[in-house]
């Protein structure tokens, strides 16, 4: 079974890794990896899909932990991703 939240988190992590691997002197406007990274981050912060599997819910919690530990407080990502994970645990996931 696929989980749209897990897929989004994997896409986000992959796009972040590609963006972070870009040359430091490459301006954002010339960086082909920026659009995917920003799109995935924006979706996590505004409208992540609900987790539909236990693995997706756990991965969402892991993402929040990693982001808070490594990147600092990111209120929108934290609240929305935790809400999407909680939906699974509350039985609201499809």
């Amino acid at each position: 079974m696929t989980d749209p939240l897990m897929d989004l988190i994997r896409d986000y992590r992959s796009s972040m890794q590609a963006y972070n691997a870009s040359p430091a002197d490459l301006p954002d406007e010339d960086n082909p990896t920026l659009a995917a990274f920003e799109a995935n981050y924006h979706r996590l912060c505004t409208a992540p899909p609900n987790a539909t599997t236990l693995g997706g819910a756990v991965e969402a919690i892991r993402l929040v932990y990693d982001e808070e530990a490594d990147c600092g407080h990111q209120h929108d990502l934290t609240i929305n991703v935790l809400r999407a994970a909680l939906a699974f645990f509350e039985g609201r996931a499809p």
Side-chain angles (χ1 to χ4, degrees):
M1 172 185 275
T2 63
D3 186 310
L5 182 57
M6 185 181 292
D7 292 343
L8 176 58
I9 291 169
R10 286 180 178 159
D11 288 347
Y12 169 70
R13 288 185 185 276
S14 176
S15 65
M16 180 174 53
Q17 184 178 19
Y19 177 73
N20 288 340
S22 300
D25 61 345
L26 180 64
D28 278 346
E29 60 269 10
D30 296 332
N31 191 331
T33 66
L34 180 62
F37 171 66
E38 286 183 332
N40 290 324
Y41 178 78
H42 178 73
R43 186 153 181 231
L44 287 168
C45 290
T46 59
N50 288 346
T52 58
T53 64
L54 177 60
V58 170
E59 191 60 31
I61 294 167
R62 184 175 291 117
L63 175 68
V64 168
Y65 175 83
D66 291 345
E67 290 289 312
E68 291 292 326
D70 297 337
C71 302
H73 184 64
Q74 298 184 65
H75 181 263
D76 292 338
L77 183 143
T78 298
I79 293 299
N80 287 305
V81 171
L82 285 178
R83 181 212 40 82
L86 188 59
F88 174 82
F89 293 112
E90 291 179 338
R92 289 186 284 153

